[in-house]
Amino acid sequence: MRGANNRRVKSLNRSTVLQYIRKQGQASKADIAAQTHLSFTAVKNITDELLSYSFISEVGYDESTGGRKPLLYKLKEDRFYSVGLHLSVARIHVVVLNLSGGVHAHYETETNPDALQSNAIVDQLIDCIEDAIVKSNVDRTRILGIGMAIPGPLDPFGGVVLSPPNMKGLAGLPLKQLMTDHFGIETLIEKDANLIALGEYWHGAARGKRNVFYLDADVGIGSGIIIDGKLHYGSPYGAGEVGHGTINIDGPRCNCGNYGCLEAVASGLAIERRAGEEIRRGAETSYRERYLADEKSVSIAAILDAARDGDSLSQQLLTESARYVGIAVGNVIHLLMPEIIIIGGALTHAYPRYFEHTKEIAMSRIFASFADHIHIYKAELGVLGGAIGAGTLVLEQFFQKDLSEWMDMKPLLS
């Protein structure tokens, strides 16, 4: 038992040092020892070991505070990689991240709308990952795993997609196992909004924060919550489905089966529906004739384009959507009081006024005494947020594991 405990302590200490270097970007042995409360000798032994297995590299010297300049260490970025995929109704994005979470390669394509309604979508996901790996020119033995950001609800622990309202073909699929079996690499799945939140936490607008709420205003509406630096799942999972909270008790039916959901009145799909309703009532708009000739020809992307060009109907519908989303964000602030609220998604990124109007409504709906403590920011990672978050999920698991299994299984790299 003493030997087992010693091995466990060594593993924890090694992980602690590596995670500290990851968070800081670069650090000296003295800095690591001071901040982790490990002895300088222990830190020296661990850094020597991590250097010998190419987990870290020397990056130069820090400024001297008296005596010799301290040597700095950083992660050896090309030691390992992760793959992250984000599936949305419109597009599929795949990134290959290096060990620091930087984007080494990026691949994207349009989602096959017919495949979304059948198991054929799995074949498209496999093809996208294969293409991204080939494009990255990364040795597959260096890939730690595959992370997948999928619209919820889903069971991240069982690896099963449950019933995404806009993707009937994924309902009930054991996606984690299917992908693991195909690639021979461990695959993790998670709700897309959770992983965008994770990406923003490590690499975007929420860097340095511990408690984060993210809202994704896109074709659908999702959200993710980080509490004390960790994704908040609920018990056992399912937390953060703000898009399916009722915001209009007399509202239209949502694809989830409920009535008056935030997604049913404010999402990209809802805006498309509302545009059609207004046109049939006689509203003038730049795409009126196109819609009357073919209703499917007017997508949320076309509406966003028209809004940027000054189309009044499109601007009115986006303002209406932002009002509902702002009210929902105000409710979340009163419930959770997070350090930072981040708003992203296609509606936010493609139409800048959307974010400003959402923020204005949210701030007008909370206690004035809280206003100085509330920080609402626009997401920084854009369309790659979900894929980066998915790849980061794999890195998170790696840095929390016992690294000895990788020392034993992977060849030493120069």
Side-chain angles (χ1 to χ4, degrees):
M1 290 298 296
R2 181 176 298 173
N5 286 338
N6 286 340
R7 286 195 299 271
R8 176 61 176 162
V9 169
K10 183 177 181 180
S11 172
L12 287 172
N13 290 345
R14 186 191 295 134
S15 178
T16 297
V17 170
L18 197 60
Q19 289 201 58
Y20 182 79
I21 295 172
R22 177 197 183 197
K23 289 179 179 178
Q24 298 303 312
Q26 57 186 33
S28 67
K29 290 193 286 283
D31 184 33
I32 296 169
Q35 297 301 318
T36 63
H37 304 293
L38 295 172
S39 70
F40 186 86
T41 300
V43 170
K44 181 183 183 304
N45 291 337
I46 291 170
T47 52
D48 287 347
E49 183 180 37
L50 293 175
L51 276 169
S52 70
Y53 282 90
S54 296
F55 285 100
I56 60 175
S57 61
E58 298 172 349
V59 69
Y61 292 91
D62 199 359
E63 292 297 323
S64 174
T65 57
R68 298 173 59 183
K69 292 183 178 181
L71 189 60
L72 294 171
Y73 302 91
K74 69 172 185 176
L75 295 179
K76 187 168 175 53
E77 294 180 343
D78 61 353
R79 177 58 160 106
F80 291 118
Y81 297 85
S82 68
V83 176
L85 176 145
H86 182 201
L87 169 65
S88 72
V89 171
R91 300 194 72 76
I92 299 171
H93 289 274
V94 186
V95 296
V96 178
L97 302 183
N98 62 31
L99 197 58
S100 294
V103 177
H104 176 77
H106 168 223
Y107 173 87
E108 68 174 293
T109 188
E110 291 184 357
T111 305
N112 182 341
D114 295 327
L116 283 176
Q117 307 308 316
S118 71
N119 291 2
I121 189 60
V122 175
D123 295 329
Q124 187 179 15
L125 298 180
I126 288 172
D127 289 344
C128 289
I129 293 171
E130 291 283 6
D131 289 343
I133 293 174
V134 170
K135 182 178 180 180
S136 74
N137 201 31
V138 166
D139 185 335
R140 291 183 185 230
T141 63
R142 299 195 189 197
I143 296 177
L144 298 168
I146 298 168
M148 303 184 73
I150 307 295
L154 53 76
D155 173 1
F157 308 113
V160 178
V161 185
L162 299 177
S163 54
N166 305 314
M167 299 183 179
K168 305 299 184 186
L170 285 174
L173 273 182
L175 188 60
K176 171 184 168 76
Q177 195 61 51
L178 289 173
M179 304 303 278
T180 299
D181 290 345
H182 177 86
F183 288 100
I185 302 172
E186 184 175 12
T187 300
L188 307 173
I189 72 167
E190 182 55 83
K191 187 177 72 171
D192 54 355
N194 276 358
L195 293 184
I196 300 173
L198 187 67
E200 292 288 336
Y201 172 77
W202 273 103
H203 309 290
R207 287 187 300 270
K209 306 298 182 183
R210 299 291 291 171
N211 298 289
V212 182
F213 174 77
Y214 171 78
L215 186 136
D216 195 56
D218 208 291
V219 175
I221 291 183
S223 56
I225 303 168
I226 292 177
I227 297 177
D228 197 24
K230 302 292 183 183
L231 284 173
H232 178 66
Y233 292 100
S235 180
Y237 51 82
E241 291 291 351
V242 171
H244 295 286
T246 302
I247 200 164
N248 181 353
I249 60 173
D250 298 315
R253 183 167 183 149
C254 182
N255 286 341
C256 74
N258 191 19
Y259 289 87
C261 293
L262 180 62
E263 183 166 301
V265 299
S267 67
L269 291 175
I271 293 170
E272 290 176 6
R273 188 197 72 247
R274 287 279 294 116
E277 291 171 353
E278 292 301 316
I279 290 172
R280 290 192 294 273
R281 289 191 184 105
E284 291 297 329
T285 178
S286 59
Y287 45 82
R288 176 181 172 81
E289 297 304 320
R290 183 164 28 126
Y291 176 84
L292 292 175
D294 178 10
E295 293 184 2
K296 293 184 179 180
S297 68
V298 178
S299 65
I300 184 59
I303 294 171
L304 287 164
D305 286 341
R308 288 194 300 272
D309 290 338
D311 182 80
S312 60
L313 175 63
S314 300
Q315 292 178 347
Q316 172 192 325
L317 296 176
L318 285 162
T319 298
E320 181 182 278
S321 166
R323 179 172 177 267
Y324 279 118
V325 171
I327 292 170
V329 170
N331 291 340
V332 168
I333 290 171
H334 281 140
L335 180 66
L336 296 178
M337 203 56 63
E339 282 181 89
I340 185 171
I341 298 97
I342 301 173
I343 302 172
L347 305 186
T348 303
H349 296 301
Y351 187 61
R353 291 189 200 173
Y354 191 93
F355 170 77
E356 296 301 332
H357 194 61
T358 300
K359 179 179 178 179
E360 178 185 339
I361 293 296
M363 295 300 289
S364 72
R365 296 275 173 158
I366 63 173
F367 286 127
S369 55
F370 293 157
D372 291 342
H373 307 291
I374 300 303
H375 305 284
I376 303 177
Y377 293 106
K378 188 175 179 179
E380 291 183 0
L381 299 181
V383 296
L384 293 185
I388 290 173
T392 300
L393 183 68
V394 174
L395 297 179
E396 285 274 84
Q397 178 174 277
F398 167 74
F399 283 105
Q400 293 170 9
K401 276 188 171 182
D402 183 348
L403 300 180
S404 60
E405 64 178 278
W406 293 99
M407 294 175 172
D408 295 338
M409 295 170 61
K410 302 291 180 180
L412 288 174
L413 304 176
S414 59

